């Protein structure tokens, strides 16, 4: 008789997983001295991301590591005035910040300061106003409409109908794939609604 697993008793706690050999996440505190501007940006980004300071600093470290590898990160700021504060941070992120600080021959505070401003500038580059979002959405809608217009041509419609009427099992899989094309109609409607909401935002703002 096969032994049944007692599912309600399954609770993969962090402590249990670590006891079984999972990598233990080392979390501690560290001190950063940041300028008032960088401190404000950090608090704002943490709030809007919905993450804890520690999780956000982990993300920041990862983003800077990627930017460093691609050659897009540079030290452009120094800290003239600031307050030293305590932050929760994972050991991996702490070590990465220190490693990058040594590479750029700056203090860890300066490295983190520049990392915060780098991320803020990258986010700003990718920010779109409601008007710009409308413009981009319209480009997509126009592309979808061109695709569906071809699909709606009589020749295509008749070809699909005749093949479907044959009851050919080899065609069934092809016919199922057409559902993805039909989803374009729903996408077009969704984008149209999106554009209406953004246009409403613009009217309210003005």
């Amino acid at each position: 008789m096969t032994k049944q697993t007692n599912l309600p008793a399954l609770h993969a706690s962090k402590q249990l997983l670590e006891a079984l050999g999972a990598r233990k996440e080392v979390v501690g505190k560290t001190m950063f001295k940041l300028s008032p501007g960088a401190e404000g940006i950090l608090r704002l980004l943490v709030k809007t991301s919905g993450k804890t300071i520690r999780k956000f600093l982990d993300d920041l470290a990862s983003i800077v590591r990627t930017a460093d590898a691609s050659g897009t990160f540079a030290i452009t700021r120094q800290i003239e005035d600031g307050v030293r504060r305590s932050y929760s941070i994972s050991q991996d992120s702490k070590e990465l910040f220190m490693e990058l600080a040594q590479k750029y021959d700056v203090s860890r505070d300066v490295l983190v300061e520049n990392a915060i401003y780098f991320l803020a500038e990258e986010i700003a580059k990718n920010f779109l106003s409601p008007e710009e979002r409308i413009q981009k959405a319209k480009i997509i809608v126009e592309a979808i409409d061109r695709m569906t217009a071809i699909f709606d041509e009589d020749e295509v419609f008749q070809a699909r109908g005749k093949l479907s009427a044959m009851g050919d099992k080899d065609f069934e899989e092809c016919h199922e794939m057409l559902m993805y094309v039909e989803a374009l109609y729903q996408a077009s409607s969704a984008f149209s609604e999106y554009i209406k909401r953004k246009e409403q935002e613009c009217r309210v703002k003005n």
Side-chain angles (χ1 to χ4, degrees):
M1 181 176 177
T2 303
K3 183 178 179 181
Q4 297 294 318
T5 302
N6 185 7
L7 291 178
L10 292 177
H11 179 66
S13 69
K14 181 179 71 172
Q15 292 82 1
L16 175 58
L17 291 175
E18 289 172 355
L20 293 173
R23 183 179 178 182
K24 185 175 182 180
E25 184 179 35
V26 181
V27 180
K29 293 275 189 179
T30 194
M31 301 289 287
F32 289 134
K33 178 185 177 182
L34 301 174
S35 68
E39 171 75 17
I41 292 171
L42 176 61
R43 297 293 175 185
L44 178 61
L45 293 178
V46 168
K47 182 179 179 180
T48 55
S49 70
K51 297 188 176 186
T52 62
I53 281 279
R54 183 184 67 78
K55 288 289 187 184
F56 186 84
L57 288 174
D58 286 346
D59 288 345
L60 182 64
S62 178
I63 289 167
V64 174
R65 176 174 55 192
T66 301
D68 169 65
S70 65
T72 57
F73 181 74
I75 300 297
T76 60
R77 296 170 178 272
Q78 296 296 324
I79 303 173
E80 297 180 359
D81 184 30
V83 178
R84 189 167 295 279
R85 300 183 190 278
S86 177
Y87 298 91
S88 294
I89 189 171
S90 69
Q91 186 64 28
D92 286 346
S93 296
K94 183 178 179 179
E95 291 173 359
L96 179 57
F97 281 137
M98 182 58 71
E99 177 186 324
L100 289 172
Q102 291 173 350
K103 177 179 178 178
Y104 287 92
D105 193 24
V106 295
S107 69
R108 194 181 57 169
D109 295 339
V110 169
L111 188 285
V112 174
E113 172 95 3
N114 279 267
I116 292 169
Y117 273 100
F118 171 80
L119 179 55
E121 288 165 4
E122 289 300 302
I123 290 172
K125 287 179 189 176
N126 289 283
F127 178 80
L128 296 175
S129 68
E131 292 84 0
E132 290 170 324
R133 295 176 206 180
I134 291 169
Q135 181 186 17
K136 302 298 183 187
K138 284 182 175 179
I139 292 172
I140 297 172
V141 169
E142 289 172 4
I144 292 172
D145 288 346
R146 287 197 297 270
M147 288 187 282
T148 53
I150 295 171
F151 191 64
D152 284 339
E153 290 179 356
D154 288 343
E155 185 179 11
V156 177
F157 183 79
Q158 291 174 12
R160 177 183 177 183
K162 288 182 177 181
L163 283 170
S164 298
M166 293 300 296
D168 186 346
K169 290 190 177 295
D170 292 333
F171 178 68
E172 288 181 1
E173 184 176 350
C174 298
H175 193 261
E176 288 177 2
M177 292 297 104
L178 292 177
M179 292 174 59
Y180 293 104
V181 179
E182 291 171 353
L184 287 172
Y185 294 100
Q186 297 176 357
S188 180
S189 297
F191 272 102
S192 295
E193 287 300 315
Y194 173 82
I195 290 170
K196 287 180 183 177
R197 289 195 296 270
K198 295 300 122 181
E199 288 175 337
Q200 178 63 27
E201 282 184 23
C202 290
R203 285 193 292 270
V204 170
K205 184 177 67 175
N206 295 329

